[in-house]
Amino acid sequence: MIKASETVVDADAAHGGHGDGNATRTVRVRVLRQDVAGGESYWERHEVAYEPNMNVISVLQKIAASAKSQDGRRVAPVAWDCCCLEEVCGSCTMLINGRTRMACSSLVDRLMAEDGEEIELRPMSKFPVVRDLVVDRKRLFGGLEKVKAWVPVEGSYDLGPGPRISPEEQEDAYPLSTCMSCGCCVEACPQYTKVEVVRRDDETEAEFEKRRKAAFNAGFVGPHAVSQAMLFNAHPTGRMIADERMEALTRQGGIQMCGNAQNCVAVCPKSIPLTRSIARAGRAATVWAIKKLFDR
Amino acid sequence: MSQPSVLVIGGGLAGLAATMRLAELGVHVDLVSLVPVKRSHSVCAQGGINSVNALTRQQGDNEWKHLDDTVYGGDFLQHQPPVKEMTDWGPRVIDLMDRLGVPFNRTSEGFRDQRRFGGTLYKRTAFAGATTGQQLLYALDEQVRRREVEGLVKKWEFWDFLAPVLDESGRCRGAVCQDLVTMQFRSFPADAVVLATGGNGLIYGRSTMSMVCTGSAVSRAYQAGAWYGNGEFIQVHPTAIPGTDKLRLMSESARGEGGRVWVPRIPQDPRDPRSIPEADRYYFLEERYPKYGNLVPRDIATREIFDICTNEGLSVEKDRLSVYLDLTHIPRETLDRKLGGILEIYEKFQGVDPRDTPMKIFPAVHYSMGGLWVDYEKSATGGLVEGSLRNQQTNLPGLYAIGECDYQYHGANRLGANSLLSCIFSGLFVAPTLVNVCGRRVGDDTSRLFEAEVRRQEERHRELLSRTSGDENPYALHQELGNLMTRVATVVRRNDQLAPAYDDVCRMAERWKRCAVSDTGSWTNQNVVFTKALGDMFPIAKLILKGALLRDECRGAHFKPAFAMPGLVATEPEARRREAEQWCDAFAANTNKWLKSTIASCGPSGDPVISYQDVDTSLIPPRPRLYGLVGGDAIEEVWKERAAKAVGGKQAVGAGA
């Protein structure tokens, strides 16, 4: 049924490449750069050829390929994090025109229509800058450790299926489970402040890790971790260590630090109901405190 | 290295499954990944994961049928014992993931819901919204984090695998990796090294794969002596959203939930697609394949979409190739519940709501069926011997490969929702093997080997950094490679294109040596890391092209029209019967000649040396794939008679004649 194809398909035509019709139009970008961790930051301007339907990733790809600033100087390519380019891996978070968002789903046409011709790119402000737009987000994952965001199974031997779960419970849990640890919520959260711990010369790696972990744990754990705690406290097996999660959430850096600014839910690229999780955690914390009082 | 220790490279589903189980079995794991493991490419898998289940079982399904669908869909190119083991494990794997908290969609009674996927007639696919890969990955990520807290796992995120370290006997004794932040090199001695580094879509420039899927880790193992199997088999997914930076996947589940593929019968009909009446719509998959409809196997759907656009001129747009994938007849509420995640992707990146307007899609490179050659030990019952040192081992002892980067499970074409299964299965299954490897540790000192490899890598790195005046731009060269590979080595392959393309790639590999790096720094230098990965794409690109050039037949994803076997033309019964006989003779002869794994080993200057190995088809004899072929019924009749005779003669092999 399939005939021998004599057609040679140009890869560009097949996959949405466009001709040079827009060659004259350009996109102007201002990037806040920083060469090394702890170094000085500085602004640099770039200009790349416009293409329809392009996103901030394709702008950065073009900057990397040209490695020239707007005034024609040879510069090192801008460093940035990215991976899936379809807003599901959580890598490419940055401040774009002052708003925390994913570079892959930030379309240039929309940015220019909303904010004017020049696009401004800055690294997230709540994490230590590694280089340019790359930041160190280890603390995000530390938050997941702290609240024990996992189902405490005995092991991976075959013990039959998991618990039965109603469609309503699944529909409640699923959105929380799509959290990709991008960090948008903590970037927007006034209570989550930057913690930067620099390794001392006289310190071993293990000592440094320990000191850094303690510093992370002293700060607010963040909306994402609170939400994960609620996700696992709602799971029939996960809730078997609900008390341990509540213990973590009511210690230093816990739910009491939330100032209810509600910025988190407004910036979440996955529209996860973070404030609902926080409200639940708040109520659970109250119950937990009373329970502890009577258990004494 | 005092305690037994395994080095796992890659933290997607396969790497995390192996790590989780190894830690559980008390083995220390160093887990190396280019990105935080939670960001691995497995998150992009959308549709679901296959296994036989209580429901399909009562409709006549069983593990054997899952095996049969998998090898039939794969055009019989995979060894059958590993596939049998995998499909036998299917129900256990899903149950395990369910226990780990994966929010699978539920029936009204609270059981796991299933959907139907391509290449099968059963609803075998369990799913969690339209982000099943993400949900499975997170569940494993969480378990590994738990083991990390316990101290059995040490993660090395933002680290690049550079080379395996082999001793004089050729045994892999660890690896050398590089910190992508500080750019420092480090030795990782280990009792075994496991590559779980996924596919190599970036060789095609834009694909549905993530930016880390360069294939560089596999290429480095290949250049160190590991064999690469079935490289020419690259799955082109029928439905992707065209884009300038990436081709974003539109899951097969869109069709699994009832999505229909069509084009207007009038070429480039200017009307709004919603206003085009049924009579003016050509549902070409449904018309050409009444049995499977929109859910034919991927290779077939891809070729049909390609054919309708390029040969029939029915692309919906003039300057760009695409067809409609239509969901607008399905209630919004159902779409949101079952496909929310993927529809959001379309809406977000195209600015159009697919619940109201048919999507425009076109095929894109999606999955590498080929990969590192790995061994297995067959059991008496036709599956595998659990814990055998040979399972998943490359030809370099001590070096193992699992997940998409091995060649073992999908043959010439992968069925939808089988990859998540093969990744998790191979990760879980390799763990007892590695425990046994650790039990036989080789004690001698290897520090000299590691020092030498670190020096070699430092030298390579320094050489790259010194290239500031070259006249080649690595990003432009990558684009050129991608365009060439997409043009000649995807849906339709022709020798008169493949042969010159091979020479072109050889020239590009030479030109790569003149690539200038624009960043000479020693801190988070993404420029030099990319240039290095690009250099490692050429050996793999070459083996893909050479394998495709040499394989003069059509099999699964490898479609060479010059060697296609056309359907029957005669209508008169006797003549038709004769034609069917001839067709079967030709098929048997072709099976005899080409039902073989392509094995590439890396020769000097990265050119592949190709050889062929027989395929173990001892469980299910090969038979023609007749999806939609004209005269398929007559051919099937003849084939069945012959097969019955062959079984009578104790020899149930299709390649007799």
Side-chain angles (χ1 to χ4, degrees):
Chain A
M1 180 153 279
I2 296 159
K3 281 171 254 91
S5 170
E6 289 304 315
T7 319
V8 176
V9 174
D10 175 60
D12 256 12
H15 289 132
H18 293 262
D20 293 326
N22 294 294
T24 50
R25 226 182 127 186
T26 59
V27 181
R28 285 186 290 125
V29 196
R30 188 169 75 240
V31 187
L32 186 62
R33 302 199 58 172
Q34 181 174 324
D35 296 342
V36 289
E40 289 291 306
S41 58
Y42 57 95
W43 287 100
E44 192 175 88
R45 286 199 149 78
H46 290 266
E47 196 165 341
V48 301
Y50 170 86
E51 277 177 43
N53 220 7
M54 78 198 292
N55 55 6
V56 169
I57 295 287
S58 21
V59 170
L60 285 163
Q61 285 176 339
K62 283 176 186 286
I63 291 177
S66 80
K68 278 201 180 85
S69 64
Q70 192 186 29
D71 49 18
R73 269 182 311 123
R74 266 188 80 149
V75 294
V78 175
W80 85 99
D81 259 346
C82 73
C83 191
C84 77
L85 308 195
E86 49 193 63
E87 208 192 63
V88 71
C89 80
S91 292
C92 62
T93 319
M94 56 186 75
L95 294 172
I96 300 170
N97 289 348
R99 291 191 301 276
T100 175
R101 55 206 295 177
M102 312 311 292
C104 64
S105 56
S106 297
L107 304 181
V108 166
D109 287 331
R110 204 166 296 165
L111 290 172
M112 299 214 295
E114 285 169 10
D115 305 315
E117 284 295 298
E118 191 174 64
I119 296 171
E120 181 195 279
L121 305 180
R122 278 189 288 149
M124 299 171 86
S125 67
K126 301 293 176 71
F127 298 99
V129 172
V130 174
R131 182 176 181 180
D132 297 337
L133 303 171
V134 180
V135 294
D136 179 354
R137 281 176 282 180
K138 274 217 179 74
R139 184 179 162 198
L140 275 181
F141 299 110
L144 300 181
E145 257 179 42
K146 188 173 173 177
V147 302
K148 305 193 177 193
W150 52 72
V151 174
V153 293
E154 287 281 338
S156 59
Y157 287 97
D158 180 25
L159 299 173
R164 267 164 83 171
I165 288 173
S166 72
E168 292 72 28
E169 289 169 280
Q170 189 272 344
E171 279 162 36
D172 205 49
Y174 177 71
L176 306 191
S177 191
T178 59
C179 172
M180 55 189 181
S181 302
C182 61
C184 285
C185 60
V186 302
E187 178 67 26
C189 172
Q191 304 303 318
Y192 197 93
T193 49
K194 182 169 173 175
V195 175
E196 185 158 11
V197 183
V198 180
R199 186 169 163 183
R200 296 187 198 120
D201 291 340
D202 61 344
E203 218 173 16
T204 65
E205 200 184 318
E207 285 166 350
F208 167 64
E209 284 299 336
K210 198 174 159 197
R211 193 164 61 87
R212 186 164 68 164
K213 203 171 204 170
F216 285 168
N217 281 339
F220 182 36
V221 68
H224 71 297
V226 173
S227 187
Q228 290 298 299
M230 291 304 101
L231 168 66
F232 288 99
N233 276 8
H235 185 271
T237 319
R239 75 167 70 103
M240 291 175 186
I241 55 166
D243 285 358
E244 295 174 37
R245 291 193 197 98
M246 291 319 298
E247 180 68 44
L249 278 185
T250 50
R251 274 202 309 255
Q252 188 183 14
I255 183 73
Q256 74 284 356
M257 287 189 77
C258 170
N260 204 24
Q262 312 210 359
N263 293 357
C264 52
V265 73
V267 298
C268 176
K270 294 307 194 195
S271 310
I272 297 169
L274 293 165
T275 43
R276 195 186 71 191
S277 291
I278 290 170
R280 282 180 185 173
R283 285 194 298 275
T286 309
V287 174
W288 165 252
I290 295 168
K291 184 171 168 252
K292 262 178 87 167
L293 199 68
F294 283 103
D295 280 355
R296 268 205 299 220
Chain B
M1 194 180 65
S2 50
Q3 66 194 120
S5 168
V6 169
L7 176 62
V8 176
I9 313 289
L13 283 175
L16 289 179
T19 301
M20 173 184 76
R21 203 168 178 93
L22 278 166
E24 195 181 314
L25 297 170
V27 175
H28 179 269
V29 180
D30 285 302
L31 177 56
V32 168
S33 170
L34 287 170
V35 291
V37 293
K38 193 176 178 179
R39 313 204 190 287
S40 302
H41 177 61
S42 302
V43 292
C44 289
Q46 299 171 345
I49 176 165
N50 286 337
S51 86
V52 176
N53 53 69
L55 178 85
T56 63
R57 232 180 260 289
Q58 293 167 69
Q59 295 167 338
D61 194 18
N62 55 39
E63 283 80 354
W64 188 266
K65 285 193 177 167
H66 187 186
L67 160 69
D68 188 278
D69 281 341
T70 304
V71 296
Y72 182 59
D75 230 344
F76 294 91
L77 195 63
Q78 62 275 67
H79 297 299
Q80 293 176 358
V83 183
K84 178 177 190 298
E85 193 66 36
M86 174 181 82
T87 55
D88 282 353
W89 270 63
R92 272 176 278 165
V93 169
I94 315 281
D95 277 354
L96 171 62
M97 299 313 295
D98 190 15
R99 276 175 53 226
L100 299 186
V102 173
F104 286 115
N105 279 48
R106 300 285 157 170
T107 65
S108 58
E109 281 179 75
F111 295 115
R112 290 186 304 254
D113 199 2
Q114 284 104 23
R115 56 164 63 123
R116 203 187 122 205
F117 248 59
T120 180
L121 298 171
Y122 296 104
K123 277 191 173 181
R124 274 195 205 120
T125 309
F127 61 103
T131 61
T132 311
Q134 180 194 41
Q135 297 305 314
L136 294 169
L137 185 84
Y138 288 3
L140 294 173
D141 173 62
E142 288 146 15
Q143 294 302 319
V144 167
R145 183 166 298 109
R146 185 178 159 209
R147 300 297 180 185
E148 193 185 4
V149 173
E150 291 169 6
L152 274 162
V153 175
K154 166 109 176 115
K155 282 185 196 151
W156 304 82
E157 293 172 330
F158 297 110
W159 280 72
D160 194 9
F161 165 86
L162 296 178
V165 171
L166 310 180
D167 65 17
E168 291 76 6
S169 72
R171 184 174 187 82
C172 179
R173 306 295 298 274
V176 169
C177 303
Q178 184 175 27
D179 184 334
L180 296 180
V181 175
T182 66
M183 309 310 286
Q184 280 167 345
F185 299 87
R186 193 178 194 282
S187 301
F188 288 83
D191 292 297
V193 177
V194 187
L195 291 181
T197 55
N200 52 31
L202 257 73
I203 291 175
Y204 286 82
R206 287 169 301 162
S207 70
T208 66
M209 291 193 211
S210 295
M211 293 301 110
V212 287
C213 302
T214 61
S216 60
V218 164
S219 176
R220 289 160 194 171
Y222 167 70
Q223 291 173 69
W227 298 336
Y228 197 101
N230 293 339
E232 66 269 34
F233 293 92
I234 299 284
Q235 181 163 80
V236 181
H237 194 286
T239 60
I241 314 165
T244 49
D245 54 335
K246 155 161 207 197
L247 312 173
R248 295 177 178 86
L249 177 66
M250 179 44 60
S251 167
E252 189 164 310
S253 56
R255 284 173 288 136
E257 294 298 339
R260 303 177 75 188
V261 176
W262 63 279
V263 289
R265 290 191 189 272
I266 306 162
Q268 291 85 50
D269 193 327
R271 286 177 289 181
D272 179 336
R274 285 166 297 184
S275 71
I276 298 178
E278 284 291 313
D280 293 348
R281 297 179 178 199
Y282 184 13
Y283 294 97
F284 54 98
L285 289 177
E286 296 172 32
E287 283 192 25
R288 295 179 182 183
Y289 303 92
K291 189 170 168 194
Y292 287 85
N294 291 291
L295 285 173
V296 285
R298 289 186 173 171
D299 55 330
I300 293 174
T302 293
R303 277 201 293 281
E304 290 292 358
I305 294 170
F306 193 83
D307 176 70
I308 208 94
C309 291
T310 60
N311 293 328
E312 313 239 340
L314 290 176
S315 169
V316 302
E317 291 171 294
K318 200 166 181 196
D319 57 345
R320 213 170 67 160
L321 304 179
S322 61
V323 300
Y324 289 127
L325 172 54
D326 198 341
L327 294 165
T328 58
H329 55 287
I330 302 169
R332 290 184 78 90
E333 180 270 327
T334 310
L335 292 176
D336 285 339
R337 202 179 67 238
K338 293 194 164 169
L339 299 171
I342 54 170
L343 300 186
E344 272 162 32
I345 290 177
Y346 191 86
E347 205 172 355
K348 224 160 215 174
F349 290 93
Q350 299 300 107
V352 176
D353 186 350
R355 300 165 193 85
D356 295 329
T357 309
M359 295 181 278
K360 291 177 192 168
I361 55 94
F362 195 72
V365 166
H366 182 53
Y367 191 89
S368 318
M369 267 80 70
L372 290 172
W373 178 91
V374 289
D375 201 2
Y376 61 88
E377 187 174 341
K378 187 176 174 179
S379 72
T381 51
L384 303 187
V385 177
E386 192 168 341
S388 164
L389 298 183
R390 288 166 56 193
N391 294 338
Q392 306 289 147
Q393 185 172 241
T394 68
N395 57 307
L396 304 176
L399 181 67
Y400 290 77
I402 53 175
E404 185 172 348
C405 80
D406 80 41
Y407 88 126
Q408 184 143 266
Y409 295 94
H410 306 293
N413 171 54
R414 175 176 68 79
L415 290 190
N418 258 357
S419 61
L420 297 183
L421 179 62
S422 65
C423 286
I424 299 175
F425 163 72
S426 59
L428 295 174
F429 196 74
V430 78
T433 291
L434 298 170
V435 170
N436 291 339
V437 176
C438 290
R440 305 179 172 209
R441 52 199 330 209
V442 193
D444 53 323
D445 180 34
T446 53
S447 52
R448 273 195 5 259
L449 297 173
F450 282 96
E451 283 159 22
E453 187 56 41
V454 167
R455 267 199 305 279
R456 204 172 73 85
Q457 294 299 336
E458 281 172 344
E459 189 45 48
R460 187 184 187 210
H461 193 72
R462 244 198 314 275
E463 189 274 319
L464 277 168
L465 288 183
S466 69
R467 285 195 217 160
T468 50
S469 58
D471 56 354
E472 293 286 347
N473 180 319
Y475 303 96
L477 188 59
H478 176 229
Q479 200 173 4
E480 205 179 318
L481 172 69
N483 285 345
L484 176 71
M485 293 297 288
T486 303
R487 187 165 59 79
V488 307
T490 49
V491 185
V492 175
R493 293 154 176 207
R494 296 160 38 145
N495 288 346
D496 61 357
Q497 291 180 348
L498 290 165
Y502 183 86
D503 296 336
D504 286 345
V505 169
C506 290
R507 275 191 291 274
M508 285 183 205
E510 286 303 310
R511 283 166 55 199
W512 174 81
K513 294 177 182 163
R514 303 199 308 271
C515 270
V517 295
S518 47
D519 186 351
T520 55
S522 54
W523 186 265
T524 321
N525 188 336
Q526 297 177 334
N527 185 238
V528 74
V529 171
F530 176 79
T531 307
K532 221 182 269 187
L534 173 65
D536 291 321
M537 287 183 200
F538 296 110
I540 304 293
K542 285 183 193 177
L543 73 84
I544 292 171
L545 292 172
K546 181 68 107 195
L549 177 64
L550 295 178
R551 187 175 281 275
D552 281 338
E553 67 154 352
C554 295
R555 187 175 298 280
H558 174 71
F559 178 66
K560 237 183 212 182
F563 298 88
M565 291 174 56
L568 310 184
V569 288
T571 48
E572 188 269 319
E574 236 171 82
R576 198 172 171 83
R577 168 84 195 184
R578 256 198 319 279
E579 255 185 48
E581 293 273 4
Q582 284 161 4
W583 197 100
C584 289
D585 291 342
F587 176 83
N590 186 67
T591 301
N592 227 359
K593 185 167 178 198
W594 282 116
L595 183 51
K596 291 184 166 52
S597 311
T598 309
I599 308 296
S601 62
C602 190
S605 69
D607 294 327
V609 179
I610 305 276
S611 60
Y612 296 93
Q613 283 184 1
D614 285 336
V615 178
D616 182 339
T617 56
S618 55
L619 303 174
I620 298 175
R623 61 182 190 274
R625 264 169 120 221
L626 298 168
Y627 300 105
L629 193 75
V630 177
D633 44 346
I635 294 170
E636 197 174 355
E637 195 182 298
V638 172
W639 190 261
K640 278 186 174 159
E641 286 171 22
R642 290 189 183 188
K645 242 181 257 170
V647 171
K650 287 249 176 199
Q651 190 52 48
V653 177

